[in-house]
Amino acid sequence: MSDFATARHNMVESQIRTNKVTDTAIIEAFEFVPRELFVPKPMMGVAYVDEDLAIGSGRILMEAMVFARLLQTALPDKSDQVLDVACGCGYSTAILSRVSGTVYGIESDEEMVSLANERLGSLDVDNAAVVSGNPLDGYTKKAPYSLIVIGGGVERIPDPLIAQLSDGGRLVTILYEDGARQGTAVLVEKFGSTVSKRVIFDASVPLLPEFRNEPKFVF
């Protein structure tokens, strides 16, 4: 077993299985996808540390435990068409491709889009692709989605993303409401014209720049 394979196995055993993640398909996805391929080369040696990794352009690889718990909250399956928002170099897209039917990643950084598709290709992923665009706008071309995953902290969930959820669809992310310093993992569900939000667990991850609230000016 290579050093990276050992580190990946240890990540699954110590960071994921021990933190309320029991879904077999999700665990197997984290065991399979080589996290080191989705970080800049100088960071490959720390790809499996138990923390968020900043990979440039305001993007992160979310801490494995938090991302795995988000996915267990969403319970993706092979019937799902998924939108992976602010997906960076495609690690989350690769994970989602193992547990979902079809995945579209949306990313604004053109270089990351290219790298993501290259790496997905190297893993023979044939049910996922990353496209260029504004994460706030989603990807209307392939909407609606039964699952939307936002890959970082947000202070707001834009209306266009909610609009792209199918009836019965769900969205998961880490939400910082009203300037809170502590984020919470939330599950948003849409049934007809009704949208509900449920807090699942506390979590702190870096905020995505596009998903910060506009500054308020006081006169």
Side-chain angles (χ1 to χ4, degrees):
M1 185 178 284
S2 72
D3 289 345
F4 284 128
T6 300
R8 185 160 60 253
H9 178 72
N10 290 340
M11 176 191 75
V12 169
E13 294 300 315
S14 64
Q15 299 176 34
I16 294 176
R17 286 187 187 273
T18 59
N19 282 287
K20 302 179 181 179
V21 179
T22 57
D23 185 274
T24 301
I26 292 171
I27 291 170
E28 288 178 353
F30 279 88
E31 188 82 65
F32 176 83
V33 177
R35 191 172 166 95
E36 73 275 6
L37 294 185
F38 295 89
V39 300
K41 284 187 177 181
M43 298 179 66
M44 291 176 72
V46 296
Y48 293 96
V49 297
D50 189 8
E51 60 186 54
D52 305 299
L53 295 177
I55 58 173
S57 299
R59 299 294 180 253
I60 63 168
L61 255 62
M62 201 181 298
E63 182 182 350
M65 179 271 286
V66 174
F67 184 44
R69 288 192 67 186
L70 270 184
L71 294 189
Q72 180 151 289
T73 297
L75 290 177
D77 63 36
K78 292 298 183 179
S79 69
D80 280 316
Q81 177 156 290
V82 182
L83 180 64
D84 186 17
V85 177
C87 63
C89 290
Y91 175 73
S92 53
T93 312
I95 293 286
L96 284 162
S97 76
R98 304 283 300 180
V99 294
S100 308
T102 306
V103 187
Y104 297 96
I106 183 78
E107 173 53 56
S108 57
D109 186 297
E110 297 278 2
E111 184 176 353
M112 285 190 174
V113 171
S114 178
L115 287 170
N117 284 313
E118 176 185 313
R119 289 161 187 177
L120 291 172
S122 73
L123 295 175
D124 295 324
V125 174
D126 60 5
N127 64 331
V130 176
V131 298
S132 177
N134 185 343
L136 296 175
D137 296 335
Y139 187 47
T140 57
K141 184 176 180 180
K142 296 295 182 178
Y145 303 95
S146 52
L147 173 61
I148 296 178
V149 178
I150 306 178
V154 306
E155 293 181 329
R156 57 196 171 99
I157 300 173
D159 290 341
L161 295 184
I162 299 296
Q164 289 171 45
L165 280 175
S166 63
D167 188 15
R170 60 258 193 242
L171 179 152
V172 289
T173 189
I174 307 299
L175 179 63
Y176 291 77
E177 284 192 292
D178 303 320
R181 293 185 178 181
Q182 173 69 53
T184 54
V186 295
L187 171 66
V188 176
E189 296 178 286
K190 181 180 179 181
F191 296 97
S193 60
T194 301
V195 178
S196 65
K197 181 184 67 184
R198 181 157 50 100
V199 173
I200 308 301
F201 59 92
D202 291 337
S204 292
V205 302
L207 285 166
L208 297 167
E210 299 97 328
F211 289 82
R212 292 180 179 272
N213 287 328
E214 296 295 328
K216 295 180 179 179
F217 294 96
V218 178
F219 294 93

